[in-house]
Amino acid sequence: MSQFGDLKTRAGQQALNNYLESRSYIEGFEPSQADNAVFEALGVAPPGDLFHALRFFNHINSFSEAERKKFPGKAAAAKPAKDEDEVDLFGSDDEEEDAEAARIREERLKMYAEKKSKKPALVAKSCIKLDIKPWDDETDMAEMEKCVRSIEMDGLVWGQFQLAPVAYGLKKLVASCVIEDDKVSTSDLEDKITAFEDYVQSVDIVSFNKL
C-alpha cells in the first residue's frame, strides 16, 4: 500500500500503526481485499511495540488463505511502476531512487541526529542503604557519624542517618545515600568508611535500588 510506504521497514510499519490507532480495518468496517493486500505486504508480524499494527496482523492472520481470498473488494493488482514525480517518504530500495526523495530523507535524518544530540544524557543513579557497625557499645556513635559524613566523592550525596539497635545495648549506624553509578563504586565507598577503623567494625549494603 503506497500510503504506508514499504511495509517491510520500521517506518512503513509505524505509519500503518498510526493509521490503525482509530481503525480496525484499512477500509470500512469489515475485512476486505485492502486488508489482505496490507497483510501480504507485511509478510511477518510487526514488533510488539507497534500494538495496533500487530493487532491487525494477528486478526487477519486468523483467517485462512482461502477465506482471505473471499474478502470483498478487488484483489490488489501488480504494483505499477513508480511515477517519476512521486516522493517516497519512507525511502526505497530501488537502484534508481528519486533524487528529491533521497534529499528529503537525508534532511530528516540530519534533523533527527541533531535533535537527538541535544538531548541531555540520562545519568544512572542508585539509592543505597548501609549498615555501619561499631566495635562495641562504647564506640562514640556521634563521632562515627561525623566521620562517615565527612566522606566526599564526586557523584555521592548523603541522605538520612539514624541509629538502630542490634543487641545487648549495641547500636549500629544506618546511613542512606544516592550515588551516580558511573562515578561512585560501592567497593570504594565501603573502603573509605572502613578506613575509620577506630570506630567502624564492618559495613554492609542492606538495600540497593536503581532510580
Side-chain angles (χ1 to χ4, degrees):
M1 300 292 288
S2 60
Q3 69 189 101
F4 306 120
D6 185 355
L7 287 171
K8 301 293 186 187
T9 67
R10 172 77 185 193
Q13 292 171 5
Q14 181 67 65
L16 174 63
N17 188 73
N18 294 343
Y19 180 82
L20 291 170
E21 187 172 355
S22 59
R23 302 173 177 85
S24 296
Y25 301 103
I26 302 302
E27 297 175 356
F29 302 97
E30 62 180 2
S32 68
Q33 286 302 321
D35 299 292
N36 192 35
V38 170
F39 173 81
E40 291 181 350
L42 283 167
V44 296
D49 60 321
L50 301 179
F51 174 78
H52 304 293
L54 180 60
R55 166 181 53 77
F56 167 83
F57 181 90
N58 290 336
H59 176 52
I60 301 303
N61 193 40
S62 68
F63 295 92
S64 67
E65 184 177 355
E67 289 174 324
R68 293 197 299 272
K69 287 181 178 179
K70 293 179 181 179
F71 286 170
K74 190 181 244 184
K79 185 178 180 181
K82 183 181 288 187
D83 186 87
E84 290 183 357
D85 298 326
E86 181 181 352
V87 176
D88 184 358
L89 297 180
F90 303 107
S92 170
D93 293 328
D94 295 341
E95 293 182 5
E96 297 180 1
E97 183 179 39
D98 185 270
E100 180 67 10
R103 184 186 66 78
I104 292 174
R105 187 171 66 255
E106 288 302 319
E107 286 182 358
R108 290 183 176 179
L109 288 172
K110 184 178 179 181
M111 289 172 61
Y112 173 76
E114 289 177 352
K115 183 177 179 181
K116 190 173 182 180
S117 66
K118 292 178 182 178
K119 284 187 176 181
L122 182 64
V123 178
K125 295 182 179 181
S126 300
C127 181
I128 301 175
K129 182 177 285 187
L130 303 161
D131 273 359
I132 307 172
K133 297 184 178 67
W135 289 105
D136 51 42
D137 58 357
E138 295 182 0
T139 299
D140 188 338
M141 299 301 288
E143 190 62 26
M144 176 196 278
E145 178 179 341
K146 182 179 178 181
C147 290
V148 174
R149 282 186 181 274
S150 70
I151 297 173
E152 295 182 355
M153 300 173 69
D154 184 22
L156 168 67
V157 178
W158 288 111
Q160 184 179 13
F161 284 71
Q162 61 184 23
L163 296 177
V166 178
Y168 305 108
L170 184 66
K171 294 183 178 181
K172 62 183 177 181
L173 182 64
V174 180
S176 62
C177 64
V178 174
I179 64 169
E180 292 184 24
D181 297 346
D182 291 339
K183 295 181 178 180
V184 180
S185 163
T186 54
S187 59
D188 288 346
L189 180 58
E190 290 180 69
D191 289 343
K192 287 181 179 292
I193 295 174
T194 53
F196 298 109
E197 54 189 18
D198 290 340
Y199 303 99
V200 179
Q201 179 195 44
S202 63
V203 180
D204 295 311
I205 296 177
V206 293
S207 68
F208 190 108
N209 299 307
K210 294 287 186 181
L211 297 180

